[in-house]
Amino acid sequence: MSSKFFLKGKSRQVHKRKSEIINKKKAKKPNAPNLENGHESSESDLEIKQFSDAEQSESDHETAEQKKLRLAKKYLQEIEKEEAKRAELQDVDDAIEKRLQRDYLEQKGKLRIQIASKYIAPSKNDVRLIRAKEHRLALTSISVSNDGQYAFTGCKSGTFIKWGIKEKKKLGVITFKTHSQFIKGGITSLALTTDIKYLATSDDSNDIQIWDPHSLKHLHTFKGHKGTVIGLVFRRNTHDLYSASKDRSVKIWSLSEMAYVETLFGHQSPVTAIDALTRERAITAGGRDTTVRIWKIVEESQLIFNGPQGSLDDVKLLDEEHFVSGSDNGTICLWSVLKKKPLYSVPEAHGSENGVPRWITCLTTLLNSDLFASGSYDSHIRLWNICDAYKKFEPIFNVEINGFVNSMHFTSDGKQLYAAVGQEHKSGRWFKKNNAKNGLFVISFNFKLDK
């Protein structure tokens, strides 16, 4: 039974296949194209053949000169397309190369931007005074965000204010009355991280307060100094904080971990100023010990520079290899990290009064450029141009500002200068200018256009 069943099934399949083949042969036309042997072409092949014939017929009507012209135009179009693509890629490559070269030079402290000669003295309309009732006493410090959107000012009355530069108004206020558990006196210093994530403040106490610069919420308190903290600075593009104090020490703090790191000793008198850039280094002015020190933190060593007689009150880095200092005897000095003595000095840079030179109350620099500014109490902010391959500096122009210029800060593009001004010196009440106003001066600069 089973064998018979399989035989019948097989015979049905064979007969079915034979009938299909017969039907296909009948369906074929007598002159059907033989595709397997390639004797005939498909419809698309016929279209292509007709098109090529037409093209050939057109080219037959061209003269030799017309044909050469047509081929030449086609060749030029191809070259234009290739060169356009290459130019776009070249522009991108050039931009990347310039950016990498700039970042490398900045990291090594060898970036030099010649911009001071392009500055034009501002008019009265370019100088604006911003006042706030919360700043009852002299302004002592200022910090401007790297993107130029915010400015923070502190004063002797224990208040610091957040300003919106674009909005041109106050965005927040922290006062001694509202935050007495954190603020113990007048604000002595402000520092802001490059990414605007942390704001550090110091006052007449020994503590350092950390705030959120956006919400002004208190985040942390650093304790450890045994004297008033005079200066604060963040290392650029990091959350490493350096602090200088009257206890003659420099301390390092990590805000990423909210932890103390290290203490640096060396100065023989209270530290009066501190600054830092990208490298793991800090530079400090030692006041009455008349020294400037560069602290090589990784190498655990320091470089000592001997300044002029008097008190070295301020120091600011131009780049990683040059810096300027100001003293209470009115002298401004230009330094190189390779020399123990100043490269160039200008005594009585802001003149004298009754035979006594006016103190240099503050300095600020436009980073990696040949420009810096100095302040005193002679009713002028003076701008200086560093020339002769960083071996000399000379005055450019003065900006009339009445009062003690206690702190200054350039915006990163150099188009504006912010100055914290008061009736008194930031560190004491030795003198007072009753006709001056406590406030924030915003100075806008114009530039010479290259012809």
Side-chain angles (χ1 to χ4, degrees), residues 224-276:
H225 277 293
K226 297 180 181 179
T228 303
V229 178
I230 297 297
L232 297 170
V233 64
F234 281 100
R235 186 160 71 91
R236 289 177 64 82
N237 303 318
T238 72
H239 295 155
D240 296 338
L241 176 66
Y242 303 146
S243 60
S245 171
K246 286 185 178 180
D247 64 8
R248 299 179 293 178
S249 71
V250 175
K251 290 186 182 292
I252 305 171
W253 317 84
S254 173
L255 269 68
S256 300
E257 302 172 358
M258 289 298 174
Y260 159 79
V261 178
E262 189 179 358
T263 302
L264 308 174
F265 295 100
H267 280 295
Q268 303 302 311
S269 63
V271 184
T272 55
I274 188 169
D275 198 15

Side-chain angles (χ1 to χ4, degrees), residues 313-436:
D313 287 347
D314 205 1
V315 64
K316 280 291 185 293
L317 287 161
L318 286 158
D319 51 49
E320 297 287 4
E321 295 184 347
H322 298 89
F323 59 92
V324 289
S325 67
S327 305
D328 68 350
N329 64 2
T331 302
I332 298 176
C333 298
L334 172 65
W335 304 75
S336 168
V337 296
L338 303 176
K339 300 276 187 179
K340 293 295 183 181
K341 293 184 179 181
L343 298 175
Y344 188 75
S345 299
V346 174
E348 298 186 12
H350 281 258
S352 61
E353 188 176 3
N354 299 324
V356 179
R358 293 189 180 93
W359 304 352
I360 304 302
T361 55
C362 71
L363 296 167
T364 188
T365 60
L366 183 59
L367 294 180
N368 302 308
S369 77
D370 57 348
L371 177 71
F372 74 93
S374 63
S376 184
Y377 52 94
D378 64 337
S379 300
H380 288 96
I381 291 175
R382 300 179 187 271
L383 270 71
W384 306 84
N385 177 18
I386 300 171
C387 50
D388 293 346
Y390 278 70
K391 294 179 180 178
K392 182 183 177 182
F393 61 91
E394 56 189 19
I396 308 175
F397 55 79
N398 303 331
V399 181
E400 188 173 351
I401 299 291
N402 188 24
F404 282 80
V405 184
N406 289 323
S407 182
M408 292 186 292
H409 202 295
F410 277 107
T411 54
S412 57
D413 58 8
K415 293 182 179 180
Q416 289 183 321
L417 175 64
Y418 290 79
V421 180
Q423 294 180 332
E424 303 168 350
H425 190 279
K426 58 185 174 183
S427 300
R429 307 190 70 176
W430 302 284
F431 312 104
K432 186 175 181 179
K433 301 193 73 171
N434 293 319
N435 59 345

Side-chain angles (χ1 to χ4, degrees), residues 87-98:
E88 291 177 1
L89 294 174
Q90 187 68 28
D91 290 341
V92 174
D93 291 342
D94 290 344
I96 293 172
E97 184 181 354
K98 289 179 181 178

